Each structure stands twice: as structure tokens, then as C-alpha cells.
Amino acid sequence: MESLFELAMPWWEFVLRACVVYVAILVMVRMSGKRSVAQTTPFDMILLVLLGTAVQNSLIGEDVSLLGGLLLAATLVSLNHIVGVVTARRLRVHNLVEGVPVLLARNGVVLDAVLRRENVSPADFDEAMRRAGLRDHAEIECAWLETDGRVNLLKRRDAAP
């Protein structure tokens, strides 16, 4: 029972490990694109589970104590809260962590190179057009890939109803 509260390493090493892993995962997730949770595919879900398993030892090391797990959880939740507060108050940090919307089309011209770079398939773009009630690219004034992965389209004012 005593081993539940005996740490296998100093408390500050748990905090340091959690900070390093949190930042590394945050960078990797940001680099992976703008797919939202609602758009998660089975492959994305598998990646998330495997990612958690892969970093487990980086976080916990050889420690199996209850106290070590709670310390890690508290550190990760605290880091997430701090990132939320800072991104709400600092635009530069927000743009770095959350990203910025990306223009995908303007005045009926779809920017195919941008679609490819942002991993938006033509089928996904067409689906967003249908949801917006648009039938043809010529009806698009602007289309953006939002930071949450949604594609928003604005209909041209001069387009026929």
C-alpha cells in the first residue's frame, strides 16, 4: 500500500516530462492539419490511441504509483488550461496554436494547390458546397478552411438564386 504514494523519480521530473510531451504532441497535432473531432476518421482515432500508448513511458518512466499518475494528470490539465488562457489573450499565440483560416476559393476560382496543401479533397469541398446550397464553383465568392476543419463558403451576391 505504501508504494501507491512512493514516487520512482523526483516530482519535478514528472512535471518536466509532462511539459515536454505536451508541447511535442501539441506541435505534432498542429502539423497534422485542421481536421476537427467531428471529422475524425477511424484512422485518426487509431492514431490518437497509439499516440497515447507511445508517449505513456515518456510521461511515467518506471513509476507506477498513484501519486505519479495524479501528478501527471494535474500537470497536463494545468498546461492545457494555461494554453487556453494564453491563446485567448494573445493573438500571436492563438494563431500559432490554433492556426488561421485559409482561403480555398475566391470569385469562383478554386485554389487547387491550396486544397492539396491543406489535404482537402475535391469531394469534401463539393460536400461543403452542397451544404451551403451552391451548385457550381462560379457561385462562390469566397471559401475558407476554418481552424476547426470546417469549410465555409460565401455565395456571390451576383449569383443567380
Side-chain angles (χ1 to χ4, degrees):
M1 194 67 151
E2 288 178 21
S3 65
L4 282 177
F5 300 101
E6 272 185 41
L7 297 176
M9 56 189 161
W11 68 268
W12 57 266
E13 191 172 331
F14 284 96
V15 173
L16 178 63
R17 285 170 177 257
C19 290
V20 169
V21 170
Y22 183 88
V23 169
I25 297 297
L26 181 65
V27 168
M28 286 186 243
V29 168
R30 268 296 287 125
M31 290 173 54
S32 72
K34 292 184 171 121
R35 189 170 281 171
S36 71
V37 175
Q39 297 171 310
T40 302
T41 67
F43 300 109
D44 295 326
M45 189 59 66
I46 291 169
L47 175 65
L48 289 173
V49 170
L50 292 176
L51 201 55
T53 303
V55 301
Q56 176 185 357
N57 287 342
S58 298
L59 287 169
I60 203 77
E62 296 299 317
D63 192 286
V64 292
S65 69
L66 176 64
L67 190 56
L70 293 174
L71 184 57
L72 280 170
T75 302
L76 292 170
V77 168
S78 298
L79 283 170
N80 201 54
H81 177 73
I82 290 166
V83 168
V85 168
V86 173
T87 58
R89 295 183 180 167
R90 302 278 186 231
L91 183 60
R92 281 185 111 149
V93 176
H94 178 272
N95 291 346
L96 182 67
V97 172
E98 298 288 336
V100 293
V102 176
L103 185 68
L104 299 176
R106 176 174 294 245
N107 297 325
V109 178
V110 177
L111 307 171
D112 293 319
V114 177
L115 287 178
R116 281 191 302 278
R117 184 184 73 223
E118 297 296 330
N119 294 322
V120 176
S121 72
D124 288 342
F125 190 81
D126 290 344
E127 179 184 338
M129 281 181 54
R130 288 190 297 276
R131 278 194 317 257
L134 304 176
R135 296 183 199 146
D136 187 67
H137 291 169
E139 296 180 82
I140 299 171
E141 181 172 324
C142 289
W144 297 274
L145 176 62
E146 301 294 347
T147 58
D148 66 358
R150 289 178 296 124
V151 175
N152 280 331
L153 293 114
L154 182 61
K155 186 174 185 173
R156 290 176 72 156
R157 290 183 194 99
D158 59 357

